[in-house]
Amino acid sequence: MDTDILIIGGGLSGLALAEALVTQGQSPLLVEGRGRLGGRIKTAEVGGGYYDLGPSWFWPGQPRIAALVERFGLTKFDQFAQGILSFEDERGQVQRGRGFASMEGSWRLQGGLGALVMALESCLPDEWVRLDSPVVKVMCRGMQSLQSSRTEKRLRRAVPSLRCHRVLVRS
């Protein structure tokens, strides 16, 4: 398969880059090794509530995320920062102590940060996103391999080759 722009990694950076390129009229191909987009961001819905299982908040000093939140019309709210925190530790003991005061001033998203992932994903045509597509090797014409793994031989038959003019890798 040929593509002009290949984006490796479907986390927040890869999704935001793909959405920006689509907005500019480009047709990037985004490949993600996992079976879902979002990278470290994962939000679960349980009983009508949303629970972030990865990053949970963002700060006023993060203008790029704030701009995406505003552009997609997502609702942000202040992170709760008062009260007593209660949780069960790994030994099954209930612990109580200082709450989320260290997060005072940070923001959360209604629907969790996964709402931002879904908003970005909705801008990408399905055929421009490949899930369960681990990249095991990147080669430049006339150069040595930039990245390789020991599983390359095993995966070579399972993962098709792609040719592209530009490769963008999250770091």
Side-chain angles (χ1 to χ4, degrees):
M1 173 181 201
D2 292 351
T3 186
D4 186 44
I5 302 170
L6 176 65
I7 300 171
I8 300 173
L12 187 57
S13 296
L15 284 168
L17 176 59
E19 186 271 336
L21 290 169
V22 168
T23 301
Q24 296 171 12
Q26 303 288 323
S27 304
L29 176 63
L30 186 146
V31 295
E32 167 58 44
R34 296 180 186 184
R36 64 173 185 82
L37 296 173
R40 293 181 178 157
I41 296 173
K42 185 173 182 181
T43 303
E45 181 181 4
V46 179
Y50 294 92
Y51 301 90
D52 283 315
L53 304 177
S56 301
W57 52 83
F58 63 103
W59 297 90
Q62 294 178 292
R64 292 181 183 149
I65 292 179
L68 289 170
V69 167
E70 185 176 325
R71 190 163 87 239
F72 288 112
L74 301 173
T75 302
K76 68 180 181 190
F77 60 93
D78 291 336
Q79 164 66 48
F80 183 76
Q82 297 179 7
I84 300 294
L85 171 66
S86 296
F87 66 95
E88 185 175 324
D89 68 18
E90 68 278 359
R91 296 168 295 170
Q93 301 293 312
V94 175
Q95 304 291 324
R96 289 183 175 75
R98 186 172 168 225
F100 294 98
S102 64
M103 299 299 115
E104 189 168 3
S106 64
W107 293 320
R108 304 279 304 258
L109 282 184
Q110 184 175 339
L113 282 177
L116 180 56
V117 169
M118 290 190 317
L120 288 164
E121 183 181 0
S122 71
C123 298
L124 305 177
D126 289 343
E127 62 269 16
W128 294 353
V129 177
R130 297 279 171 87
L131 299 177
D132 295 313
S133 299
V135 174
V136 295
K137 191 171 191 175
V138 176
M139 304 258 324
C140 293
R141 207 176 282 162
M143 298 181 77
Q144 292 182 4
S145 171
L146 298 177
Q147 179 182 0
S148 184
S149 78
R150 289 193 274 162
T151 60
E152 175 190 348
K153 289 180 183 175
R154 184 169 45 93
L155 292 173
R156 190 178 296 159
R157 283 179 250 110
V159 179
S161 294
L162 297 168
R163 289 188 307 187
C164 57
H165 295 102
R166 292 174 275 184
V167 177
L168 307 167
V169 182
R170 69 170 172 82
S171 58

